[in-house]
C-alpha cells in the first residue's frame, strides 16, 4: 500500500491565485514528520515546509502553508498568490520511525504544477 | 557556496562504460544519501552513509557502487549499466541519519544509458 499518496498528477493555476496540492499519508508511527519539496525543471529538490505530527498549529513559510488534518491523515500544501516561478513538480514526503528507532523518508509520486500568466 | 552540489549535471554513457557521480555538501552534515528518481515513480532511496559508514543499501544492484571518503563527499560508481538505469540521481544530506532532520538535496545528475 502507498504510504504517501498524491492524487493530482498535474494542476493548473492562474497567476496570483491560490492553489492546494493534496497529500495523504499512512503510518502507524505516532511521531512522524511531513515535508513538501519543490523540484523545478533544473532537477534540484528544494525544501519548502515541515509539519511535525505533534505540532498544534499548521506550518507556514511565507506563501506556503500546510493544511494538516491529522484525523484524516492529510497534509495538503497551499500556495497563495501563485507566481510563474512556482511552476514545478511538488513532492510530499513523510519521515517515520521504525521499531529499531531509526527514521526513513518516503516520497509521493509528485504533482506537476503549472502557473498560467 | 550552495549547500549540496553534484557533478556532472548530465551524463550519457554506454552499457560498457564506467563512470562516477560526485556529490559534495557544504553544510557540515554527517549523513549523505543517494536517491534514484525515475519518471512517474516515487524517489527510491539507494544508499545511506552516516559518518562515512554505509548504513543502508536498499537492494541496489552491484553495478552501482557507492563510496564515501569523508562526511562531505559521496560518490556513485557506475559500471555495465542497463538502459532502465536511466534516471535522475539525487544526492541529499542531513545533520545525522536516523534522526528527525530535514534532508537537503543537490541538483541531481541526469543519467542516460544507451
Amino acid at each position: 500500500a502507498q504510504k504517501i499518496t498524491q492524487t493530482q498528477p498535474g494542476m493548473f493555476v492562474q497567476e496570483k491565485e491560490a492553489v492546494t496540492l493534496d497529500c495523504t499519508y499512512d503510518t502507524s508511527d505516532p511521531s512522524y514528520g511531513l515535508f513538501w519539496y519543490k523540484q523545478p525543471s533544473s532537477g534540484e529538490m528544494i525544501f519548502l515546509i515541515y509539519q511535525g505530527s505533534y505540532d498544534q498549529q499548521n506550518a507556514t513559510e511565507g506563501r506556503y502553508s500546510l493544511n494538516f488534518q491529522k484525523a484524516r491523515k492529510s497534509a495538503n500544501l497551499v500556495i497563495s498568490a501563485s507566481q510563474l516561478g512556482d511552476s514545478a513538480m511538488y513532492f510530499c514526503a513523510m519521515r517515520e520511525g521504525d521499531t529499531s528507532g531509526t527514521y526513513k523518508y518516503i516520497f509521493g509520486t509528485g504533482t506537476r504544477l503549472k502557473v498560467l500568466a | 557556496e550552495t549547500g549540496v552540489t553534484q557533478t556532472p549535471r548530465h551524463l550519457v554513457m554506454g552499457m560498457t562504460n564506467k563512470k562516477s557521480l560526485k556529490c559534495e555538501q557544504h553544510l557540515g552534515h554527517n549523513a549523505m544519501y543517494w536517491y534514484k528518481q525515475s519518471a512517474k515513480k516515487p524517489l527510491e532511496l539507494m544508499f545511506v552513509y552516516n559518518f562515512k559508514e554505509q548504513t543502508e543499501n536498499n537492494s541496489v544492484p552491484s553495478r552501482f557502487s557507492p563510496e564515501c571518503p569523508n562526511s562531505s563527499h559521496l560518490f556513485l560508481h557506475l559500471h555495465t549499466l542497463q538502459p532502465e538505469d536511466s534516471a535522475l540521481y539525487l544526492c541529499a544530506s542531513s545533520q545525522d541519519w536516523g534522526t528527525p532532520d530535514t534532508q537537503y538535496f543537490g541538483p541531481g545528475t541526469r543519467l542516460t544509458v544507451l
Side-chain angles (χ1 to χ4, degrees):
Chain A
Q2 291 275 24
K3 289 228 168 189
I4 293 285
T5 303
Q6 294 181 253
T7 57
Q8 307 152 311
M11 290 278 288
F12 289 95
V13 65
Q14 204 66 40
E15 193 179 10
K16 300 179 185 177
E17 292 187 350
V19 63
T20 298
L21 306 184
D22 296 340
C23 174
T24 57
Y25 60 91
D26 183 29
T27 182
S28 57
D29 181 10
S31 177
Y32 54 90
L34 298 157
F35 301 76
W36 276 93
Y37 287 88
K38 172 185 178 182
Q39 187 179 40
S41 56
S42 58
E44 184 177 359
M45 294 278 278
I46 303 167
F47 166 70
L48 295 178
I49 196 167
Y50 166 77
Q51 179 86 43
S53 59
Y54 293 120
D55 292 344
Q56 296 295 315
Q57 293 187 319
N58 286 347
T60 60
E61 289 287 346
R63 294 186 298 111
Y64 303 109
S65 61
L66 201 151
N67 184 359
F68 181 45
Q69 297 188 44
K70 196 169 182 178
R72 297 179 61 184
K73 293 190 173 180
S74 74
N76 298 339
L77 176 70
V78 181
I79 305 175
S80 62
S82 297
Q83 301 172 356
L84 295 177
D86 294 334
S87 295
M89 279 289 284
Y90 288 81
F91 291 92
C92 179
M94 176 175 66
R95 180 204 62 229
E96 64 173 357
D98 61 21
T99 53
S100 68
T102 59
Y103 291 82
K104 292 188 177 182
Y105 279 76
I106 303 161
F107 286 79
T109 52
T111 295
R112 183 171 297 283
L113 177 68
K114 176 70 174 176
V115 180
L116 305 173
Chain B
E1 290 194 52
T2 54
V4 183
T5 59
Q6 289 185 243
T7 55
R9 295 296 307 277
H10 300 272
L11 179 62
V12 180
M13 59 187 288
M15 289 191 286
T16 58
N17 291 157
K18 289 185 179 181
K19 297 286 184 183
S20 296
L21 310 185
K22 179 183 176 182
C23 175
E24 185 174 358
Q25 57 96 1
H26 310 276
L27 301 168
H29 289 166
N30 299 312
M32 297 187 76
Y33 311 78
W34 279 117
Y35 285 90
K36 175 183 178 183
Q37 185 180 21
S38 305
K40 299 181 181 179
K41 291 175 68 176
L43 264 70
E44 301 170 64
L45 180 64
M46 299 173 72
F47 301 104
V48 181
Y49 276 81
N50 196 43
F51 289 98
K52 303 185 299 178
E53 299 296 322
Q54 186 179 128
T55 55
E56 206 157 316
N57 175 341
N58 281 350
S59 303
V60 181
S62 60
R63 57 186 183 269
F64 295 91
S65 174
E67 178 191 0
C68 188
N70 54 62
S71 294
S72 299
H73 294 85
L74 184 64
F75 295 90
L76 188 63
H77 303 300
L78 315 171
H79 61 98
T80 59
L81 294 192
Q82 304 297 312
E84 60 264 28
D85 296 323
S86 298
L88 181 69
Y89 289 84
L90 289 161
C91 173
S93 71
S94 66
Q95 187 60 52
D96 288 295
W97 169 78
T99 64
D101 290 323
T102 300
Q103 292 188 358
Y104 294 89
F105 286 79
T109 295
R110 175 77 60 190
L111 174 67
T112 302
V113 181
L114 301 176

